[in-house]
């Protein structure tokens, strides 16, 4: 009996201990839940989602934008700045690219249709002379070019067009550094870009074996086969399928596409193909000046942007197709599937988003936008340091004005006071937008974004108050020519604007227009091709807008005395790239520096005067 009572007491005692533990655990869980809920409420209250912290007021500072002088060499030159002399068609693609480079590099420009039209004795020599093709170097013109290069003028053959003319002109071959014209036409398997001319390092663009990757290869693969001789430096070569050749080809004998020939301390550059006929020319020209100079210092924007166009959407349009493909409607797909994926990709890529919202695409289908998710997205964007913008793209509406009026009503009913500083517009509608800039919807917009087009500069003033920042890359459809152009723009401007347009997902026309496919390609492209440029700052479009204005407005000068480079800039807070040959920055005063790669530094001019001390790599420096 005593044994039974004792056992009962022990069991009861254990039960009592268990109840105490249970009560303690319950208290702890309640406290944790309260703290968690309190922190969530506190964070939610501190999330000023209705405030665009990146917004800046419109200013008519375009009136003060730096302007190049168009120089007439027959009159007395009134500038002490560097200038480019372009020989060729003033209305051609290459002339346009050179003109834009001058705007960005702050060089003046002179354009002549032929060498014969030049004055016999130039009062001031150009820093660079660019020939549209080799045909401008015939006869006595070649002697003039030889004299100029010996005086330190950088000579650039923008496109070698006719291999037959070059093959029959030994003097021109010697000037270009061509040892032999092997074939007038050769089929390549790809091209290889060596490090040095552009930022981003060495890269090969050889046609991949994978079927779904072959579409990346869009480079011109049929080129003349030039072999260059001693005294030259090669920057790009063509790659060959050597299985069908009788003799294996050494790397130095591969078809040369971009190279430099050194003549009496001067430099002659040659380009095979159309690389100088679009924005790719921007970085190539900076690289050529760098290669021909002791060092080169030039201004950049320093802004890396991601434009999510037509996202989020707030109308459940194209419902039958969406239900068939995703078993959800547009708003659910965006919130539950696309947004978490985008956040993951952006965090891995360490970039910032600007999401150009689209209340609806078809204003005649009866599907009315619902603003219930607007606050959700604004809060999410705030936490991701992203920015909300406006999409002016649509599939069906009476007019842009009508679309804007209906969108204004949508945002008005939501009760949101968020002010939108950036808007996406298709390039074909840029002229129409100008008439709408002072409407209720666009009154705060100070920068426009449009898709990539050579019809517009990479960055520019759209009006004196509004800038235009074009997309530089399509994050979904990315080809080898896009990558070379991207590297070139990064080298010249420290700028990129990668776009992912969601309209193709919500209104698919091909099997490839599926979120699963687009997300895979976008993630792969972004995390692969842009990884060498993470030293440049990630920005939203409004942040980039501020830097674009600084870049377009600044003027600068630089000089060197022994190991000290002095930079004078009209704008504190401006950015520059310094490129050297075997020299490192030992000390900097009036600014900060970040190493981009070997021989390249990003400079922030915190003051209007920056002094940069350089040293030979590997040597100790003491001030």
């Amino acid at each position: 009996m005593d044994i039974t009572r004792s056992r009962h007491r022990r069991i009861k005692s254990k039960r009592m201990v268990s109840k105490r533990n249970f009560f303690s655990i319950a208290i702890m869980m309640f406290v944790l839940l309260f703290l968690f809920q309190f922190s969530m409420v506190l964070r939610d209250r501190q999330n000023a989602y209705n405030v665009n912290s990146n917004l800046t007021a419109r200013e008519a500072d375009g009136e003060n934008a730096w302007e190049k002088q168009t120089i007439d060499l027959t009159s007395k030159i009134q500038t002490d700045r560097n200038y480019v002399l372009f020989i060729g068609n003033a209305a051609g693609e290459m002339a346009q690219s050179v003109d834009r480079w001058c705007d960005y590099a702050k060089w003046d420009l002179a354009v002549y249709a032929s060498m014969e039209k030049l004055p016999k004795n130039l009062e001031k020599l150009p820093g660079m002379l660019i020939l549209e093709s080799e045909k401008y170097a015939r006869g006595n013109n070649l002697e003039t070019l030889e004299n100029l290069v010996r005086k330190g003028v950088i000579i650039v053959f923008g496109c070698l067009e006719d291999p037959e003319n070059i093959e029959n002109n030994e003097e021109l071959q010697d000037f270009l550094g061509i040892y032999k014209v092997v074939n007038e036409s050769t089929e390549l398997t790809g091209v290889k870009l060596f490090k040095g001319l552009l930022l981003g390092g060495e890269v090969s663009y050889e046609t991949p074996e994978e079927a779904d990757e072959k579409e990346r290869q869009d480079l011109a693969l049929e080129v003349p086969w030039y072999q260059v001789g001693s005294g030259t430096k090669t920057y790009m070569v063509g790659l060959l399928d050597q299985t069908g050749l009788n003799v294996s080809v050494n790397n130095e004998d591969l078809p040369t596409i971009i190279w430099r020939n050194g003549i009496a301390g001067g430099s002659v550059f040659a380009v095979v193909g159309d690389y100088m006929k679009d924005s790719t020319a921007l970085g190539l020209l900076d690289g050529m000046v760098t290669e021909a100079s002791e060092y080169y210092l030039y201004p950049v924007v320093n802004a890396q942007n991601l434009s999510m166009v037509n996202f989020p959407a707030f109308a459940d349009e194209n419902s039958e197709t969406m239900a068939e493909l995703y078993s959800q409607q547009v708003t659910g797909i965006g919130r539950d599937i696309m947004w978490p994926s985008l956040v993951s990709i952006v965090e891995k890529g360490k970039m910032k988003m600007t999401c150009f919202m689209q209340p609806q695409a078809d204003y005649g289908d009866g599907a009315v936008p619902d603003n219930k998710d607007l606050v959700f997205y604004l809060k999410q964007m705030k936490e991701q340091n992203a920015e909300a913008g406006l999409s002016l793209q649509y599939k069906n509406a009476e007019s842009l004005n009508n679309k804007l009026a209906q969108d204004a009503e949508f945002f008005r009913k939501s009760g949101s006071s968020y002010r939108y500083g950036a808007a996406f517009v298709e390039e074909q509608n840029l002229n129409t937008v100008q008439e709408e800039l002072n409407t209720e919807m666009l009154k705060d917009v100070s920068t426009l974004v449009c898709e990539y087009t050579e019809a517009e500069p990479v960055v520019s003033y759209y009006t004196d108050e509004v800038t235009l920042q074009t997309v530089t890359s399509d994050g979904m459809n990315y080809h080898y020519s896009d990558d070379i152009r991207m590297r070139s723009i990064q080298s010249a401007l420290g700028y990129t604007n990668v776009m992912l347009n969601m309209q193709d997902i919500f209104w698919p026309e091909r099997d490839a227009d599926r979120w699963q496919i687009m997300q895979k390609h976008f993630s792969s492209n972004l995390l692969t091709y842009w990884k060498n440029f993470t030293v440049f700052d990630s920005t939203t479009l409004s942040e980039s807008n501020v830097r674009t204005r600084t870049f377009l407005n600044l003027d600068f000068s630089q000089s060197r005395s022994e190991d000290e480079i002095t930079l004078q800039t009209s704008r504190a807070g401006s950015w520059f790239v310094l490129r050297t040959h075997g020299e490192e920055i030992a000390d900097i005063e009036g600014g900060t520096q970040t190493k981009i790669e070997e021989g390249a530094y990003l400079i922030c001019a915190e003051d209007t005067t920056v002094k940069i001390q350089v040293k030979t790599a590997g040597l100790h420096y003491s001030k």
Side-chain angles (χ1 to χ4, degrees), residues 429-581:
N429 293 326
L430 276 173
N431 291 336
T432 308
V433 172
Q434 190 166 356
E435 303 169 2
E436 307 293 338
L437 285 176
N438 293 319
T439 58
E440 179 182 356
M441 281 297 294
L442 303 185
K443 63 183 179 182
D444 293 318
V445 169
S446 58
T447 190
L448 294 175
V449 175
C450 72
E451 74 275 19
Y452 170 73
T453 167
E454 282 299 323
E456 303 293 339
V458 177
V459 291
S460 61
Y461 273 101
Y462 175 71
T463 69
D464 285 341
E465 294 182 327
V466 178
T467 61
L468 176 63
Q469 303 183 64
T470 65
V471 166
T472 58
S473 304
D474 185 331
M476 172 59 185
N477 303 301
Y478 198 68
H479 303 95
Y480 289 157
S481 64
D482 299 323
D483 192 62
I484 295 176
R485 186 179 68 243
M486 180 273 288
R487 287 168 175 261
S488 188
I489 294 174
Q490 293 275 34
S491 299
L493 303 177
Y495 172 89
T496 196
N497 190 357
V498 188
M499 177 184 74
L500 186 61
N501 195 328
M502 309 301 189
Q503 187 157 278
D504 291 339
I505 298 170
F506 300 139
W507 301 85
E509 296 180 358
R510 308 168 299 163
D511 289 340
D513 296 337
R514 305 281 184 90
W515 172 243
Q516 297 89 333
I517 298 174
M518 293 186 74
Q519 182 266 344
K520 176 184 175 182
H521 281 270
F522 178 63
S523 175
S524 174
N525 292 340
L526 187 66
L527 301 179
T528 300
Y529 294 103
W530 278 265
K531 64 182 179 182
N532 291 330
F533 301 100
T534 54
V535 67
F536 295 119
D537 290 345
S538 297
T539 56
T540 65
L541 264 300
S542 286
E543 290 175 319
S544 181
N545 166 53
V546 174
R547 297 186 178 204
T548 295
R549 291 168 187 266
T550 298
F551 170 76
L552 293 174
N553 288 7
L554 74 85
D555 194 3
F556 80 102
S557 63
Q558 57 81 29
S559 60
R560 178 167 181 168
S561 177
E562 297 182 348
D563 293 334
E564 183 175 88
I565 299 170
T566 300
L567 165 66
Q568 297 282 352
T569 175
S570 62
R571 293 293 184 106
S574 50
W575 297 87
F576 296 81
V577 165
L578 171 65
R579 297 175 69 175
T580 67
H581 303 284

Side-chain angles (χ1 to χ4, degrees), residues 80-118:
D80 57 358
R81 298 189 298 227
N82 266 330
Y83 75 93
V84 171
L85 172 55
F86 179 80
I87 306 296
N89 178 12
E93 295 171 326
M94 193 181 299
Q96 176 178 267
S97 298
V98 172
D99 181 88
R100 290 174 180 173
W101 179 80
C102 289
D103 284 331
Y104 298 150
K106 316 296 181 179
W107 286 41
D108 291 327
L109 177 65
V111 179
Y112 282 81
S114 67
M115 292 285 293
E116 287 80 7
K117 294 184 180 296
L118 289 179

Side-chain angles (χ1 to χ4, degrees), residues 34 271 403:
F34 172 78
V271 179
K403 168 195 160 52

Side-chain angles (χ1 to χ4, degrees), residues 172-312:
L172 180 57
Q173 286 187 54
D174 290 340
F175 189 67
L176 289 167
I178 295 174
Y179 165 71
K180 183 180 180 181
V181 181
V182 179
N183 276 318
E184 293 183 7
S185 181
T186 302
E187 191 70 27
L188 306 177
T189 60
V191 302
K192 184 174 184 178
L193 176 66
F194 297 104
K195 67 177 182 179
L197 189 63
L198 300 179
L199 299 180
E202 183 175 291
V203 61
S204 292
Y205 299 102
E206 196 154 17
T207 306
E209 295 181 0
E210 299 85 353
D212 60 342
E213 291 290 314
K214 283 187 177 181
E215 63 182 19
R216 291 192 189 276
Q217 182 58 275
D218 65 337
L219 300 174
L221 298 180
E222 189 173 334
V223 302
W225 185 344
Y226 299 115
Q227 283 184 359
V228 296
S230 59
T232 62
K233 182 176 181 180
T234 299
Y235 304 105
M236 182 186 284
V237 296
L239 302 175
L240 300 172
D241 180 2
Q242 301 196 30
T243 56
L245 300 177
N246 296 328
V247 181
S248 62
V249 180
N250 297 324
N251 287 336
E252 61 268 21
D253 295 327
L254 289 169
T256 317
I257 297 176
I258 303 177
W259 71 92
R260 168 182 174 262
N261 185 33
I263 298 179
S267 296
V268 177
F269 292 88
V271 179
V272 178
D274 293 339
Y275 297 99
M276 290 282 292
K277 295 181 180 180
D278 62 18
S279 296
T280 308
L282 300 177
L284 293 180
L285 289 173
D286 281 319
M288 290 172 183
V289 177
T290 299
E291 288 292 292
S293 308
E294 181 184 15
Y295 70 96
Y296 188 41
L297 182 66
Y298 57 94
V300 295
V301 178
N302 184 23
Q304 308 288 284
N305 301 290
L306 273 180
S307 294
M308 305 302 178
V309 179
N310 297 318
F311 182 86

Side-chain angles (χ1 to χ4, degrees), residues 363-378:
Y363 290 78
D365 63 0
V368 180
D370 189 340
N371 57 37
K372 62 181 174 60
D373 287 331
L374 178 60
V375 172
F376 164 80
Y377 280 113
L378 290 177

